[in-house]
Amino acid sequence: MPDPLTAVTEAFTSFLFGKVETTRLPVRTSTGQAQAVYLPTAAPGLGDSGVIIGREVYSGKGYIYDPFRLYGQQLPAPHWLVLGESGNGKSALEKTYVLRQLRFRDRQVVVLDAQGEDGVGEWNLIAQELGITPIRLDPMAALDGGIRLNPLDPSITTTGQLALLRTIIEVAMGHGLDERAGFALKVAHAYVNETITDRQPVLTDIVEQLRHPEPESAEAMNVDLDDVRAWGLDVALVLDRLVDGDLRGMFDGPTTVGIDLDSPLIVFDLSHIDRNSIAMPILMAIVGVWLEHTWIRPDRKKRIFLVEEAWHIINSPFVAQLFQRLLKFGRRLGLSFVAVVHHLSDVVDGAAAREAAAILKMASTRTIYAQKADEARATGRVLGLPRWAVEIIPTLTPGIAVWDVNGNVQVVKHLVTEAERPLVYTDRAMTESAALEAEESGAGVQPVANRPGAHRPGANRPVTSADEEALAVERAAEAEAEARAAEAMEQQRREQLADESTVA
């Protein structure tokens, strides 16, 4: 019972203002409705089926991704774009992703390995571990019986052969073929395919026919034979470079017998090709079309086509058009295309901006490692990233990236197992030179058997106190980056709540 003074006060208040307090009955509800009481702490993941990548920085949950599992549900296309400056973990991500995908029996991977180390491709260690011999495309080795890929291989349709020949010529010339040159090429190709039946036609046959066209070629269009020869002269000179120039040996003969297209991993080693020469986009075009007609088959296998230095493809209008068709065709047959580039400006500001935009649109998954602030802003505008993600990209440390999977944006730390470390890290030259310096200086050392990274190639060595200090700095920077990512996501959550309150 309340005291008399309280009772009088309540009675007087009720008389003036009415009853101000009511007794509320208990409410029975469901967990689905009651969850609105609790503020969200992290965006939903991508499910628990597929390949584990690492863990989400903000929530600490495991991050699992597989385009084949997500396709048709959370992904409109299985293709993937990986961006970031060198030294931030793109290579390690690619390699662990492939190794983990190959744990599934219905997976097959082709890699165009454009990076070189110690005279071999970057994927050489993984190929050796799996008992696979890389397909090394090297002009010098090809002259001594090395690997050849024939653009006129009978396994490629005649339409595909002609499209490939046009692309090779247009890439080398830097502009499209005019109608007359295209006609000369078409009649030469048709004549070679019709008359050579006892062996594989080769580029030398096309060059010879362009130089000495048959009278029937001129009569078919009611033009002079000398005109047909003149129309095809520039085309013949370009193809002659593949036959007798700096690219001779790789494409001017029958396709090498014994290339195993049923192997779970196929590595094309392009490390002996100058990455800045015209040879690289030509080579990628030939490999891409050759694979389209010989490798992609309706056999229910899930295939991954990973291309390093992919700007060679999507920065050339003619090569980009070929790969754009490959992506559209391959999606129906279970192909996931993975393009790895350093900067988005490498492709969106180039000569093939329209074709690059079309290919980027097909890539529903984007992974962005650390970039400079201005590059991050440009990337954010092109890819439509949220503001908080753009702001933290310049602060990311190696191994941490922003993942955008069809609008589901997370900050993910890539995790590498001790078994994978010797195969995925590509800093042997740096670590081995550091080891030599330590030995020459005679600096004090300590055992590092359990140190993270001790099992990298070249890391089986003593480590100085300077190394341990560098490792501590690296860990501190990593922790700071994770904290910044968490703070940015928390700020995004607060802004969303504020917007919802304003609307309400």
Side-chain angles (χ1 to χ4, degrees), residues 180 183-185 187 209-210 213-215 217-219 221 223-233:
R180 296 182 177 184
F183 171 75
L185 176 64
V187 296
Q209 185 60 27
L210 287 168
E214 296 297 321
S217 302
E219 293 172 2
M221 293 297 292
V223 296
D224 190 77
L225 186 63
D226 290 336
D227 289 337
V228 176
R229 184 182 297 108
W231 296 347
L233 181 58

Side-chain angles (χ1 to χ4, degrees), residues 110-115 123 266-270 283-284 287-288 291 305-309 313 323:
V110 162
V111 176
L112 297 192
D113 183 4
Q115 303 278 4
W123 286 74
I266 305 168
V267 178
F268 286 89
D269 183 351
L270 315 181
L283 185 61
M284 289 189 170
V287 171
L291 287 173
F305 188 14
L306 190 152
V307 181
E308 294 179 338
E309 303 287 347
I313 290 175
F323 272 81

Side-chain angles (χ1 to χ4, degrees), residues 293-373:
H293 291 272
T294 60
W295 179 57
I296 302 176
R297 301 187 292 269
D299 55 5
R300 304 183 66 85
K301 277 194 175 183
K302 305 296 188 295
R303 290 180 165 87
I304 300 169
F305 188 14
L306 190 152
V307 181
E308 294 179 338
E309 303 287 347
W311 62 273
H312 288 294
I313 290 175
I314 50 183
N315 202 31
S316 168
F318 315 109
V319 182
Q321 289 168 9
L322 280 180
F323 272 81
Q324 187 177 348
R325 187 186 74 245
L326 172 64
L327 266 61
K328 289 180 179 179
F329 173 75
R331 186 168 59 179
R332 299 195 302 268
L333 297 178
L335 174 70
S336 172
F337 178 68
V338 184
V340 184
V341 297
H342 288 93
H343 305 289
L344 204 55
S345 58
D346 291 341
V347 293
V348 297
D349 298 331
R354 185 177 63 181
E355 292 80 2
I359 291 178
L360 292 177
K361 188 177 180 180
M362 294 184 195
S364 301
T365 301
R366 296 89 171 261
T367 301
I368 304 96
Y369 283 90
Q371 296 179 331
K372 293 182 176 62

Side-chain angles (χ1 to χ4, degrees), residues 53-86:
I53 301 296
R55 62 180 177 86
E56 298 173 20
V57 168
Y58 186 66
S59 68
K61 297 187 301 183
Y63 192 80
I64 296 174
Y65 169 79
D66 191 312
F68 305 111
R69 302 279 182 172
L70 297 174
Y71 178 65
Q73 301 175 13
Q74 300 183 53
L75 277 182
H79 309 305
W80 180 15
L81 174 69
V82 183
L83 291 167
E85 296 182 351
S86 297

Side-chain angles (χ1 to χ4, degrees), residues 102-430:
L102 290 178
R103 304 282 293 187
F104 295 94
R105 284 184 287 184
D106 63 341
R107 301 291 196 266
Q108 195 179 27
V109 182
V110 162
V111 176
L112 297 192
D113 183 4
Q115 303 278 4
E117 187 179 28
D118 297 338
V120 295
E122 192 176 327
W123 286 74
N124 191 63
L125 279 175
I126 291 179
Q128 287 182 347
E129 183 71 15
L130 299 178
I132 294 166
T133 302
I135 302 170
R136 184 164 293 115
L137 294 171
D138 181 355
M140 300 306 296
L143 296 175
D144 298 325
I147 298 295
R148 282 191 176 92
L149 294 178
N150 184 13
L152 302 177
D153 193 313
S155 62
I156 303 175
T157 63
T158 55
T159 302
Q161 292 176 10
L162 185 58
L164 181 54
L165 289 173
R166 288 185 64 100
T167 300
I168 293 171
I169 296 164
E170 289 170 337
V171 170
M173 296 176 68
H175 59 78
L177 282 180
D178 59 35
E179 293 299 326
R180 296 182 177 184
F183 171 75
L185 176 64
K186 184 178 74 172
V187 296
H189 174 252
Y191 181 83
V192 166
N193 272 343
E194 289 173 3
T195 58
I196 299 177
T197 57
D198 57 338
R199 59 176 174 84
Q200 283 191 17
V202 294
L203 288 180
T204 305
D205 301 319
I206 300 290
V207 174
E208 185 64 23
Q209 185 60 27
L210 287 168
R211 292 176 57 203
H212 305 289
E214 296 297 321
E216 293 83 355
S217 302
E219 293 172 2
M221 293 297 292
N222 195 26
V223 296
D224 190 77
L225 186 63
D226 290 336
D227 289 337
V228 176
R229 184 182 297 108
W231 296 347
L233 181 58
D234 288 342
V235 176
L237 291 174
V238 171
L239 291 179
D240 184 66
R241 182 178 177 184
L242 301 180
V243 173
D244 197 30
D246 54 342
L247 299 179
R248 67 189 184 278
M250 292 189 293
F251 313 115
D252 57 340
T255 299
T256 302
V257 177
I259 296 178
D260 184 9
L261 293 179
D262 294 321
S263 172
L265 174 65
I266 305 168
V267 178
F268 286 89
D269 183 351
L270 315 181
S271 61
H272 288 258
I273 309 296
D274 182 0
R275 282 182 285 173
N276 296 315
S277 75
I278 198 66
M280 189 63 81
I282 290 176
L283 185 61
M284 289 189 170
I286 293 176
V287 171
V289 174
W290 188 75
L291 287 173
E292 175 185 353
H293 291 272
T294 60
W295 179 57
I296 302 176
R297 301 187 292 269
D299 55 5
R300 304 183 66 85
K301 277 194 175 183
K302 305 296 188 295
R303 290 180 165 87
I304 300 169
F305 188 14
L306 190 152
V307 181
E308 294 179 338
E309 303 287 347
W311 62 273
H312 288 294
I313 290 175
I314 50 183
N315 202 31
S316 168
F318 315 109
V319 182
Q321 289 168 9
L322 280 180
F323 272 81
Q324 187 177 348
R325 187 186 74 245
L326 172 64
L327 266 61
K328 289 180 179 179
F329 173 75
R331 186 168 59 179
R332 299 195 302 268
L333 297 178
L335 174 70
S336 172
F337 178 68
V338 184
V340 184
V341 297
H342 288 93
H343 305 289
L344 204 55
S345 58
D346 291 341
V347 293
V348 297
D349 298 331
R354 185 177 63 181
E355 292 80 2
I359 291 178
L360 292 177
K361 188 177 180 180
M362 294 184 195
S364 301
T365 301
R366 296 89 171 261
T367 301
I368 304 96
Y369 283 90
Q371 296 179 331
K372 293 182 176 62
D374 55 346
E375 186 72 28
R377 287 192 292 270
T379 299
R381 285 194 299 271
V382 174
L383 300 183
L385 297 175
R387 185 178 65 187
W388 66 267
V390 174
E391 291 176 352
I392 68 170
I393 286 174
T395 70
L396 298 174
T397 56
I400 300 179
V402 170
W403 281 67
D404 177 8
V405 182
N406 195 32
N408 185 319
V409 183
Q410 302 282 350
V411 181
V412 179
K413 177 178 175 56
H414 174 223
L415 298 180
V416 182
T417 67
E418 289 300 315
E420 293 169 331
R421 284 183 182 276
L423 301 175
V424 304
Y425 284 107
T426 56
D427 55 356
R428 291 201 300 272
M430 294 295 291

Side-chain angles (χ1 to χ4, degrees), residues 3 82 96 237 445 483 488:
D3 60 87
V82 183
T96 56
L237 291 174
V445 297

